[in-house]
Amino acid sequence: MTHSHLTGLLDTDAIRKDFPVLSRVLHDGKPLVYLDNAATSQKPRQVLDALNAYYERHNANVHRGVHVLAEEATALYEGARDKVAAFVNAPSRNEVIFTKNASESLNLVANMLGWADEPYRVDADSEIVITEMEHHSNIVPWQLLAQRTGAKLKWFGLTDEGRLDLSNIDELITEKTKIVSVTLVSNLLGTVNPVETIVRKAQSVGALVAIDASQAAPHAVLDVQALEADFVAFTGHKMLAPTGIGVLWGRQELLEDLPPFLGGGEMIETVTMGSSTYAPAPHKFEAGTPPIAQAVGLGAAIDYLSAIGMDKVAAHEHAITAYAIERLAEVPDLRIIGPRTAVDRGAAISFTLGDIHPHDVGQVLDEQGIAVRVGHHCARPVCLRYGIPATTRASFYLYSTPGEVDALIDGLHHVRNFFG
Amino acid sequence: MKLDSMYQEIILDHYRNPHGKGLRDGDAEVHHVNPTCGDEITLRVKLDGAVVADVSYESQGCSISQASASVLNDLVVGKTVGEAQQVQEAFLELMQSKGQSEGDEEILEDAVAFAGVSKYPARVKCALLGWMAWKDATAKALAGRPSITD
Ligand SMILES: Cc1ncc(COP(=O)(O)O)c(C=O)c1O
Ligand SMILES: [Zn+2]
């Protein structure tokens, strides 16, 4: 296969040298073809080095103690917050809350609103709006909130092409709506959603908007001011950082008004036996010893991504995704679940292959060293919507190559022969 | 190739031509899912005194889960509940053997073909899905409880 027609590709030969795991060879001589990036990304040496350096030279608890290590650890942890703030173009570093992952970030928003005073309080008269393409992490916290408060949960549906159906937006988002929570990029369909339209509608009725940017932050420029949302959640491990670190960005005025969720050390101002007062945001929302090394790792990941440039990362993935869509069309009986063009589309491609179950597809691909994800991808309502039990999903990142797409296509032909 | 140890010809045959598939009359019905890959089975057990008169099922899932439900049907229908439970226990033991057991062909017949699957932790649940559903449905049928779908 020649790839000379592809434009916008990064120098993956150089980039791949930074990722030790990508040189692994599996099953007697098959080079690893890692196409499970929507589940989690691999980590570059720069991030691993930052973790090691932190533990080898600076390890201490943060925000307490006056000794050198405590000051260094605090500076590194808070420095990571500065990096995140710059990465998402936050107006203030105090709007960046560290959590353990996107799930915790979204649960935090739901709990803030459940315990809030008016006008933010979600109660029995309120409505919550989400979409049918959400990850379970952006479904279940809202189901819990609805169950506990008596609020009504409403859903945007999906079109046959795998896009959000906005035709009934005026019925869904009303004066009763307190919060709309929607994913920027679907982890199963790959769809990039027109969140501007939803934000504008929500603003017109005074509802808050939370955006799940878990599949967006790793892959393209993320500008929370341009999004005009109230909350933006994402997770570090999908963007080259270690597991155990997530982010919730929230608008400053809101973070000042909304109540804390978890209580503990770090989040207080003073504590008496009668009551406590809370530290200002973001610390109000970071109870207990935070994931310090993980935050430092996230900072290093952001440095790595920023040095390449998120616009260049996006262009690379766009080229790879377009090429993959083109080549997947060659595989008989293959049906893409989600947009069939690379327009407004992320780098995760789900598909079915005739009546061969994804579990079997994934197993036979694995034997060839190709790692894909199979199942419902924590987005079961999407599978139900399209009448399929599960999909196989290939997802790309900045180190993915056209050669890996070719390997996937060869692998899929092999799968068909195996079960044919 | 390692893969052939999982996808034995017998397994692929059962997958392509499942035995006893379809829902028929039963004394108890259960619905089990394998959340890791979305395999699902609705299974009914019909008892005739102490004998397993029928195991009928509607299922959706990977080749391993489909083939194993088919083999289950072959192995337990016509046996007494006690005998069938012994087969079920032998199959469970085989699947938990992490590739260390070949299975007792006297008891397990075609089901020994699943020995290779026990090396793949992610697939053991697929192989056990129908068997666990059968165990559950049989317990319900024996308890004489009305059929419950969960
Ligand atoms: C769209 C989306 N939202 C939320 C999550 C949850 O991320 P985490 O498991 O890190 O909390 C994921 C990850 O699978 C995702 O893809
Ligand atoms: Zn399965």
Side-chain angles (χ1 to χ4, degrees), chain A residues 115-180:
Chain A
W115 297 105
D117 294 326
E118 285 301 338
Y120 305 117
R121 186 183 187 81
V122 169
D123 56 24
D125 296 324
S126 314
E127 293 181 353
I128 301 164
V129 180
I130 60 174
T131 87
E132 206 174 355
M133 69 164 80
E134 297 311 312
H135 187 279
H136 295 165
S137 294
N138 199 26
I139 296 176
V140 183
W142 304 112
Q143 289 177 328
L144 289 170
L145 181 63
Q147 282 159 16
R148 287 168 184 167
T149 59
K152 185 168 174 200
L153 185 60
K154 294 164 86 178
W155 304 68
F156 278 102
L158 308 182
T159 68
D160 290 343
E161 290 74 46
R163 305 228 177 244
L164 272 188
D165 177 4
L166 297 178
S167 61
N168 55 347
I169 188 168
D170 292 333
E171 286 138 56
L172 287 171
I173 301 179
T174 69
E175 300 291 328
K176 289 190 159 184
T177 309
K178 283 285 172 79
I179 173 90
V180 183

Side-chain angles (χ1 to χ4, degrees), chain A residues 94-125:
Chain A
N94 294 332
E95 300 181 332
V96 175
I97 300 166
F98 283 129
T99 61
K100 75 168 185 286
N101 51 33
S103 304
E104 186 183 314
S105 300
L106 293 161
N107 277 277
L108 175 54
V109 178
N111 279 282
M112 285 171 174
L113 300 181
W115 297 105
D117 294 326
E118 285 301 338
Y120 305 117
R121 186 183 187 81
V122 169
D123 56 24
D125 296 324

Side-chain angles (χ1 to χ4, degrees), chain A residues 27 355-357 359-361 363-364 366-367 374-376 380 388-390 414 418-420, chain B residues 1-4 6-7 12 15-16 35-37 39-40 60-63 120 122-123 126:
Chain A
H27 308 311
D355 57 8
I356 306 173
H357 193 276
H359 224 163
D360 294 314
V361 176
Q363 195 83 56
V364 177
D366 172 69
E367 196 67 13
V374 300
H376 51 53
R380 201 159 169 275
I388 47 173
H414 180 67
F418 191 87
F419 290 103
Chain B
M1 191 168 80
K2 207 169 127 216
L3 206 54
D4 293 329
M6 169 182 302
Y7 293 113
L12 292 174
Y15 166 54
R16 294 189 186 109
T36 51
C37 70
D39 296 336
E40 299 194 18
Q60 208 180 44
C62 66
S63 57
Y120 295 80
R123 304 307 294 275
C126 308

